[in-house]
Amino acid sequence: METLTAAAVATLLLTKMIEKVGEKMGEKLPELGSKALEQIGKLKQALWRKAPETASAIERVTYQPELVEQQPEEYGIQVLTAKMELVTKQDAEVAEVVNALAAEVLPRIPQKVVQVMMVGIKGKSLTAQDLIQEAASGSTNVNQQMLKDVELEGDISLGNLSQKA
């Protein structure tokens, strides 16, 4: 998954598309908790006051998620996220709520980590020291590969190889 901006997180939560992100990762997302739900309520209120067109589009997608694919030019997640980002740039109150919501939710979203080190090496010999792959704390979908598809004609000397998830 790409890095999510605060506006993207807010848009995904408000449209309830955050579940789709979890499904794509093959994981059920954790419960948001009362603080996040409170922030979602505040954001909805602020959007209706400050950007009613954006609030209306987001609400339509909430109740008609098929619009995301049927009318992506108007209701696609990228379009809605761009609208949310514009509102956050133009209005400090909305920006504050969006950032608070993202701060509450982002740590709960599983992080997919893929680390690849020393793959596809061909040569006469190899010497390597202190190779470390370490996934960030909280990462739940980790794929680490080290020394894969190595073809050497001579010696191989390795030391201190470590993978931590």
Side-chain angles (χ1 to χ4, degrees):
M1 172 176 28
E2 298 170 17
T3 302
L4 293 174
T5 65
V9 169
T11 303
L12 289 169
L13 287 168
L14 289 178
T15 59
K16 300 193 188 245
M17 288 292 164
I18 196 86
E19 287 93 6
K20 298 284 184 208
V21 172
E23 287 172 14
K24 282 185 178 179
M25 291 176 58
E27 298 189 23
K28 177 150 176 55
L29 296 177
E31 294 300 316
L32 295 178
S34 61
K35 192 169 183 180
L37 295 175
E38 180 183 324
Q39 294 294 338
I40 290 170
K42 284 182 183 179
L43 181 55
K44 284 181 181 180
Q45 291 173 1
L47 281 177
W48 278 110
R49 282 194 320 274
K50 310 285 183 151
E53 318 81 32
T54 300
S56 177
I58 286 172
E59 189 162 305
R60 283 200 69 188
V61 169
T62 301
Y63 294 106
Q64 295 176 287
E66 64 275 6
L67 289 174
V68 171
E69 291 181 15
Q70 291 173 353
Q71 298 179 38
E73 67 287 340
E74 193 171 339
Y75 297 105
I77 293 301
Q78 291 174 328
V79 172
L80 296 176
T81 299
K83 288 181 181 186
M84 181 72 73
E85 286 174 348
L86 183 62
V87 174
T88 59
K89 287 178 185 171
Q90 294 174 343
D91 189 278
E93 178 189 350
V94 173
E96 185 179 326
V97 178
V98 164
N99 289 329
L101 179 58
E104 182 68 26
V105 173
L106 275 173
R108 297 170 187 242
I109 296 175
Q111 298 296 311
K112 181 174 183 174
V113 177
V114 177
Q115 296 176 324
V116 179
M117 185 186 296
M118 299 184 74
V119 174
I121 295 175
K122 294 180 182 179
K124 297 193 184 269
S125 66
L126 171 69
T127 302
Q129 290 286 324
D130 301 323
L131 303 176
I132 300 171
Q133 290 182 325
E134 188 168 352
S137 172
S139 299
T140 58
N141 188 351
V142 179
N143 178 353
Q144 296 173 316
Q145 297 178 12
M146 187 182 295
L147 291 169
K148 182 177 174 189
D149 299 326
V150 176
E151 295 178 25
L152 298 174
E153 295 174 9
D155 297 332
I156 183 169
S157 173
L158 301 169
N160 301 325
L161 294 127
S162 174
Q163 293 181 315
K164 300 175 187 175

